[in-house]
Amino acid sequence: RIMSIAVFFLAIGILLGSGWIGTTCLDEWQIGVLGLAGGFTLFQAGSGKISLDYFFNKNQFIQQENNWNSISIKKYRPYFVGFSFFILFVTLFTNQVFHGGVYGTLHNKSVKPKVEISNLKQYQNKVSFDVMRIEGADVYGSFLIQIDFHNHQNEIIESLDMQELSNLDKQQISNYYVSKVTPHKHSLVLPLGAKANLNFDISDKIHKVVLTDISGLQWEQTITNL
């Protein structure tokens, strides 16, 4: 039963942290809800004859299982039923939030990449910002093929194409996590969960930056300091 509690909280972490991931099916969501239901079921039922608990108890190494079984299940039945409905609610709620499977239009956050831009700043001739891919296919990167820097008149004052991005100096990329933003043959690749700080030398004052993915999707962010 102690292990069932560990399984339950591990499943909660998987479900809430990665329950939306799944390119072709509801991978992590299924793992999460199955862990919740399975952990709670094991907590109620206890261990069977092929468990270490049974072996230790049979050989009188421990006597805890009998103490638990001597408790009246009827006394705790309302709590078990109530928690079962709670798990049902979590299952339906997370499915709706992550996938829209209960009502409305189905959606899959793993189909299209989504890039988050933050901390855009310019100091003298140095422009820097953080970029992170927070959604999209877990086995496939987002391929940035263009970065445009605009002024206050919305004119492009600096543009980096796919060739320039594929040849970025390593000193211009500072990764935060194990999953890394890296230049590849024809683009700058952002794997799922990767976050990095990018910096560029630009003399003119900028107002915003626009990132373009190979799919045509664009993300933009206005500067946070003047």
Short mmCIF file of all heavy atoms in Angstrom, two decimals, residues 10 59 84 90 117 119 125 132 158-159 161 183 185 202 211:
data_model
loop_
_atom_site.label_atom_id
_atom_site.label_comp_id
_atom_site.label_asym_id
_atom_site.label_seq_id
_atom_site.Cartn_x
_atom_site.Cartn_y
_atom_site.Cartn_z
N LEU A 10 3.19 9.61 -8.54
CA LEU A 10 3.97 9.59 -9.78
C LEU A 10 3.04 9.80 -10.97
O LEU A 10 3.35 10.56 -11.90
CB LEU A 10 4.71 8.27 -9.91
CG LEU A 10 5.50 8.06 -11.22
CD1 LEU A 10 6.60 9.10 -11.35
CD2 LEU A 10 6.09 6.66 -11.28
N ASN A 59 5.64 -15.57 6.81
CA ASN A 59 6.79 -16.02 7.58
C ASN A 59 6.99 -15.21 8.86
O ASN A 59 8.05 -15.29 9.50
CB ASN A 59 8.05 -15.93 6.73
CG ASN A 59 8.05 -16.94 5.60
OD1 ASN A 59 8.39 -18.10 5.78
ND2 ASN A 59 7.63 -16.50 4.41
N SER A 84 -13.10 7.66 -5.58
CA SER A 84 -13.29 7.08 -6.91
C SER A 84 -13.95 8.09 -7.85
O SER A 84 -13.56 8.21 -9.02
CB SER A 84 -14.14 5.81 -6.83
OG SER A 84 -13.49 4.81 -6.06
N VAL A 90 -11.13 13.86 -12.39
CA VAL A 90 -9.81 14.22 -12.89
C VAL A 90 -9.61 13.66 -14.29
O VAL A 90 -9.06 14.33 -15.18
CB VAL A 90 -8.71 13.71 -11.95
CG1 VAL A 90 -7.32 13.86 -12.57
CG2 VAL A 90 -8.76 14.46 -10.63
N ILE A 117 8.32 33.32 -26.75
CA ILE A 117 9.43 34.28 -26.73
C ILE A 117 9.30 35.13 -25.47
O ILE A 117 8.21 35.63 -25.16
CB ILE A 117 9.42 35.18 -27.98
CG1 ILE A 117 9.34 34.34 -29.25
CG2 ILE A 117 10.66 36.07 -28.02
CD1 ILE A 117 9.04 35.16 -30.49
N ASN A 119 11.62 37.82 -22.43
CA ASN A 119 12.82 38.53 -21.99
C ASN A 119 13.57 39.18 -23.16
O ASN A 119 14.81 39.16 -23.20
CB ASN A 119 13.75 37.56 -21.24
CG ASN A 119 14.71 38.28 -20.31
OD1 ASN A 119 14.39 39.36 -19.80
ND2 ASN A 119 15.88 37.71 -20.11
N ASN A 125 24.36 47.66 -28.72
CA ASN A 125 24.24 46.95 -30.00
C ASN A 125 23.92 45.46 -29.83
O ASN A 125 24.03 44.70 -30.78
CB ASN A 125 25.53 47.09 -30.81
CG ASN A 125 25.81 48.53 -31.20
OD1 ASN A 125 24.89 49.33 -31.28
ND2 ASN A 125 27.06 48.85 -31.45
N MET A 132 11.53 29.28 -26.29
CA MET A 132 11.23 27.94 -25.78
C MET A 132 10.07 27.34 -26.55
O MET A 132 9.06 28.00 -26.78
CB MET A 132 10.88 27.99 -24.29
CG MET A 132 10.59 26.63 -23.68
SD MET A 132 10.25 26.73 -21.90
CE MET A 132 10.09 24.98 -21.50
N GLU A 158 16.53 44.23 -39.69
CA GLU A 158 17.51 43.13 -39.75
C GLU A 158 16.75 41.83 -39.94
O GLU A 158 15.72 41.60 -39.30
CB GLU A 158 18.33 43.06 -38.46
CG GLU A 158 19.49 42.08 -38.48
CD GLU A 158 20.68 42.57 -39.29
OE1 GLU A 158 20.86 43.81 -39.38
OE2 GLU A 158 21.42 41.73 -39.82
N SER A 159 17.23 40.98 -40.85
CA SER A 159 16.57 39.70 -41.12
C SER A 159 17.62 38.61 -41.28
O SER A 159 18.61 38.78 -42.00
CB SER A 159 15.71 39.80 -42.39
OG SER A 159 15.03 38.59 -42.63
N ASP A 161 18.05 34.75 -42.51
CA ASP A 161 17.38 33.69 -43.25
C ASP A 161 17.85 32.32 -42.76
O ASP A 161 18.65 32.20 -41.82
CB ASP A 161 17.60 33.84 -44.75
CG ASP A 161 19.07 33.79 -45.14
OD1 ASP A 161 19.91 33.29 -44.35
OD2 ASP A 161 19.41 34.26 -46.25
N PRO A 183 21.71 24.79 -34.21
CA PRO A 183 21.64 25.02 -35.66
C PRO A 183 21.87 23.73 -36.42
O PRO A 183 22.77 22.96 -36.08
CB PRO A 183 22.78 26.03 -35.90
CG PRO A 183 23.73 25.82 -34.78
CD PRO A 183 22.92 25.35 -33.61
N LYS A 185 21.36 21.85 -40.64
CA LYS A 185 21.79 22.12 -42.00
C LYS A 185 21.04 23.26 -42.66
O LYS A 185 21.63 24.08 -43.37
CB LYS A 185 21.66 20.85 -42.85
CG LYS A 185 22.27 20.98 -44.24
CD LYS A 185 22.23 19.64 -44.97
CE LYS A 185 22.87 19.77 -46.35
NZ LYS A 185 22.86 18.48 -47.09
N ILE A 202 22.96 43.99 -33.27
CA ILE A 202 22.13 44.85 -34.11
C ILE A 202 22.31 46.28 -33.63
O ILE A 202 22.08 46.60 -32.46
CB ILE A 202 20.65 44.44 -34.04
CG1 ILE A 202 20.48 43.00 -34.55
CG2 ILE A 202 19.78 45.39 -34.86
CD1 ILE A 202 19.08 42.48 -34.46
N LEU A 211 9.58 35.41 -35.29
CA LEU A 211 10.16 34.12 -35.66
C LEU A 211 9.25 33.42 -36.65
O LEU A 211 8.02 33.39 -36.46
CB LEU A 211 10.37 33.25 -34.43
CG LEU A 211 11.11 33.85 -33.23
CD1 LEU A 211 11.29 32.80 -32.14
CD2 LEU A 211 12.44 34.42 -33.65
#
